[in-house]
Amino acid sequence: MMKLAIALCPAILLAQSAASFDVATVKPSDALKNAGFASGWSIVESNDGLKITGNLQTFIKYAYSIDDVQISGGPPWLDRDFYEINGKAARQITVEERKQMLQSLLSDRFQLAVHRETRELPLYSMVLAKGGAKLQRGDAATRSSSSGATFLRGTMDSGAWAAALTSTLHRTVIDNTALQGIWKFDLTWAADDNTAGPSLFTALQEQPGLKMESTKGPVQVLVIDHAEKPSNN
């Protein structure tokens, strides 16, 4: 029985990775011309599909659950040309299935080929500042996050906070706080050209009681081997 279970595992994994939308369209988008589209992408998730507008780089970030700093290579238009993807499944799907389906679509429509590597890169180690954390306990049922040019807040665990700071700092942040459970995080800082308020690093120490230590370490990177612009459909 054990041998049978082991033999079936590769087939199960292959079936999962081959998951695809039953109906999907990809078309060029002029979203950046629309007012309010400052973030560079938008996404609407449903129980049976996904509508996402952005560039290939943002599609990869969502599909593979990574950030910009973990993407290497790619064509010149990777973060320049915008598209709208609308995919529908014939059944309800999970978050992970939705991402797998987008991976399949990118492979099919963008001819995307990638591989993973582990590289030694600069990163930040997030630790407790002197005096410890200045945080309130949060409720797991109210997990949330929001961000802007000079703020980052939410109710999450410290690992998710590190991931959010990775996007803000454009460098991988590793959680070494040893904080357990869900916490309420609230961080505001001054813009780079404004000397009237604290920098992000100062605000981290003064507000949630955390600090960043520069170091180097292994970071998993997704390397783009090939990509093509999709045909209109």
Side-chain angles (χ1 to χ4, degrees):
M1 184 63 69
M2 182 63 71
K3 290 183 179 180
L4 177 61
I6 293 173
L8 286 176
C9 284
I12 293 171
L13 292 173
L14 180 60
Q16 289 178 340
S17 63
S20 58
F21 294 113
D22 292 278
V23 179
T25 59
V26 180
K27 60 183 181 180
S29 172
D30 59 356
L32 283 180
K33 297 179 181 178
N34 299 332
F37 198 81
S39 66
W41 65 319
S42 67
I43 182 169
V44 178
E45 300 168 310
S46 62
N47 290 335
D48 63 348
L50 170 73
K51 181 178 180 180
I52 182 170
T53 302
N55 51 49
L56 180 55
Q57 181 161 319
T58 57
F59 299 155
I60 292 172
K61 286 169 58 178
Y62 175 84
Y64 289 91
S65 301
I66 59 177
D67 208 272
D68 293 319
V69 295
Q70 295 171 277
I71 300 174
S72 176
W77 50 269
L78 180 71
D79 61 352
R80 186 182 65 204
D81 292 2
F82 279 70
Y83 300 90
E84 178 185 295
I85 293 175
N86 201 332
K88 285 288 184 180
R91 58 180 175 81
Q92 288 196 357
I93 54 177
T94 64
V95 173
E96 189 57 37
E97 286 176 321
R98 188 183 299 118
K99 294 189 176 188
Q100 291 171 355
M101 289 177 177
L102 182 56
Q103 289 178 25
S104 295
L105 184 146
L106 296 180
S107 175
D108 179 42
R109 302 294 181 88
F110 288 83
Q111 299 301 300
L112 180 67
V114 299
H115 73 274
R116 294 185 185 273
E117 292 182 3
T118 299
R119 298 179 179 177
E120 192 81 3
L121 296 174
L123 51 79
Y124 289 118
S125 172
M126 184 174 74
V127 299
L128 298 181
K130 187 177 181 179
K134 306 172 184 177
L135 299 168
Q136 292 183 338
R137 286 282 183 182
D139 184 352
T142 60
R143 285 177 181 264
S144 64
S145 65
S146 60
S147 62
T150 58
F151 75 89
L152 183 61
R153 62 179 63 100
T155 301
M156 62 191 91
D157 58 55
S158 56
W161 180 248
L165 285 168
T166 293
S167 298
T168 301
L169 293 168
H170 305 294
R171 182 184 292 191
T172 300
V173 177
I174 305 298
D175 175 26
N176 286 317
T177 62
L179 292 171
Q180 301 294 320
I182 305 300
W183 303 87
K184 294 180 180 179
F185 292 91
D186 195 345
L187 179 68
T188 58
W189 64 92
D192 292 340
D193 58 353
N194 185 353
T195 58
S199 68
L200 189 153
F201 293 97
T202 299
L204 268 169
Q205 296 192 52
E206 294 178 345
Q207 296 168 28
L210 305 171
K211 69 175 182 177
M212 297 294 173
E213 296 180 343
S214 294
T215 184
K216 279 191 174 185
V219 176
Q220 193 172 76
V221 175
L222 193 75
V223 181
I224 300 174
D225 299 309
H226 181 77
E228 297 178 11
K229 293 185 179 183
S231 58
N232 294 343
N233 56 64

